[in-house]
Amino acid sequence: LATVKEEGVQGIFRIPRPLGEAKDILEKIYVETQLGLNGWNIAKTAVVLGIARTNLHRKMKQLEIGRKE
């Protein structure tokens, strides 16, 4: 998923890939964006996403999302 930064969002989806992989990339970008907009506040972001805080933690682990210092 590091290629997102190199190619941009539109470039990522020009490369043929399985649907599941493309969905993971889009989901990671969206969750990271929402976390950033909410100051990496997990509780606020979970409310915005409409999921439980524990599910957001699980999703972050699944998508390998960590706070960038």
Side-chain angles (χ1 to χ4, degrees), residues 8-58:
V9 175
Q10 292 175 345
I12 286 297
F13 294 108
R14 290 189 181 143
I15 300 169
R17 64 183 80 243
L19 180 59
E21 186 179 335
K23 286 169 58 176
D24 286 346
I25 292 168
L26 181 60
E27 191 170 27
K28 180 173 183 169
I29 293 167
Y30 185 70
V31 171
E32 284 180 331
T33 299
Q34 293 306 313
L35 283 162
L37 291 172
N38 288 290
W40 284 82
N41 182 310
I42 301 295
K44 282 184 180 180
T45 303
V47 169
V48 169
L49 296 176
I51 61 175
R53 184 180 47 79
T54 53
N55 288 342
L56 179 53
H57 279 290
R58 191 175 304 120

